[in-house]
Amino acid sequence: MTPDIKPLVAGNWKMNGQRDQLDQLALMSKGADAELSQKLDIVVCPPATLLYVATALAEDTGLKVGAQDCHANASGAHTGDVSAEMIADCLAEYCIVGHSERRTDHEESNADILAKTQACWRAGLKAIVCIGETEAEYDAGQAETVLSSQLAGSLPEGATDQNTIVAYEPVWAIGTGKTPSPEDIKAIHEFLRNELIERLHGPGERMKILYGGSVKPSNAAEILMIENVDGALVGGASLKAEDLLSICEVYRKV
Ligand code: 13P
């Protein structure tokens, strides 16, 4: 946690979830009660097919809704793509950009992600910008260099704590059950905080830095209490309301 930063837990459903999963979303919005949502922002990012119905289910509750990606353009001949404006039109408030699965599966570059982040702002969405090193880079001691260049390349001028959230997701920790040690997470988040302050000054002090990669109810308390960890981006454990809410509950007592 960081003093004066309201934490955020976001669930990234990835390419999972059909209509029969909406009961989980309804349970999440019930669990995001007034007391809990005062302590943290709770966001669920279902696939685009469920976005509009998800915002309707979450309306007037403590649960907020986000998308998982957007195109950089507002509209046009881009078959199969979804623009930030379309996401905003579904009444979602957040959009993940630069997830390592997009960087790998769709060969997205830092420049692509920078353009998508600007698209989010243009549409009034908060961008959750993901960065993270691979296992080989981690083993070679290159994590900080990689993260620094991803931040420099994918975070546009004008990033503030109001329009952008950074998510640190070591690629080797995603869906593997492996996590860095608490000491490693602390060191990397402190490094990222300093990079953000150097670059953005005041807003860099206040920008949320999430940790993502194998966060689950059993390790959430330890990870979320680390200095400069301002919440989590949760994959697998966000599909069940019980698990996502149990991660969020860590903040109820603090
Ligand atoms: P897991 O929590 O399943 O490791 O996924 C993390 C992630 O990629 C969230 O964006």
Side-chain angles (χ1 to χ4, degrees):
M1 293 187 79
T2 313
D4 300 328
I5 296 186
K6 187 179 187 190
L8 182 152
V9 169
N12 174 10
W13 282 13
K14 309 191 179 184
M15 199 170 70
N16 297 294
Q18 300 184 9
R19 286 179 298 154
D20 62 0
Q21 189 78 11
L22 290 169
D23 58 347
Q24 294 302 311
L25 216 139
L27 288 171
M28 286 172 193
S29 43
K30 266 210 198 92
D33 60 49
E35 185 189 59
L36 195 60
S37 48
Q38 220 182 4
K39 300 273 186 162
L40 80 154
D41 293 326
I42 306 173
V43 182
V44 63
C45 302
T49 47
L50 295 182
L51 213 47
Y52 188 45
V53 66
T55 59
L57 269 174
E59 194 181 357
D60 296 329
T61 76
L63 184 70
K64 297 179 191 316
V65 177
Q68 299 174 13
D69 180 52
C70 66
H71 194 278
N73 293 358
S75 62
H78 303 288
T79 303
D81 278 317
V82 172
S83 72
E85 279 74 5
M86 292 167 171
I87 292 163
D89 185 49
C90 287
L91 307 175
E93 296 174 61
Y94 294 82
C95 183
I96 299 168
V97 294
H99 193 282
S100 63
E101 287 149 17
R102 303 274 331 164
R103 291 179 188 259
T104 306
D105 295 356
H106 300 271
E107 298 179 356
E108 290 187 6
S109 66
N110 286 328
D112 294 328
I113 292 147
L114 184 140
K116 288 176 181 220
T117 304
Q118 288 171 322
C120 289
W121 300 348
R122 185 185 66 219
L125 302 174
K126 293 184 206 315
I128 302 176
V129 179
C130 302
I131 55 173
E133 82 285 354
T134 63
E135 185 147 39
E137 290 161 344
Y138 177 80
D139 289 344
Q142 293 168 346
E144 292 189 354
T145 316
V146 169
L147 295 171
S148 176
S149 86
Q150 287 180 339
L151 262 190
S154 43
L155 209 59
E157 287 293 316
T160 71
D161 52 304
Q162 297 301 306
N163 60 20
T164 304
I165 292 137
V166 169
Y168 166 56
E169 297 205 301
V171 177
W172 52 274
I174 295 176
T176 58
K178 291 195 273 186
T179 56
S181 67
E183 294 73 30
D184 273 5
I185 296 178
K186 182 171 188 284
I188 293 281
H189 277 247
E190 188 178 332
F191 170 78
L192 294 173
R193 173 70 61 210
N194 290 334
E195 289 273 301
L196 291 173
I197 292 174
E198 196 175 307
R199 169 111 185 258
L200 310 171
H201 310 290
E205 284 173 24
R206 298 185 294 271
M207 189 170 282
K208 299 186 215 299
I209 309 175
L210 312 183
Y211 168 79
S214 297
V215 176
K216 43 187 189 262
S218 58
N219 62 15
E222 183 174 36
I223 292 173
L224 294 176
M225 288 305 116
I226 296 171
E227 219 176 315
N228 287 310
V229 174
D230 308 312
L233 185 53
V234 185
S238 73
L239 293 169
K240 281 202 7 241
E242 192 187 347
D243 290 344
L244 186 71
L245 289 170
S246 129
I247 293 166
C248 296
E249 286 291 334
V250 168
Y251 289 110
R252 194 186 290 275
K253 300 140 232 142
V254 293

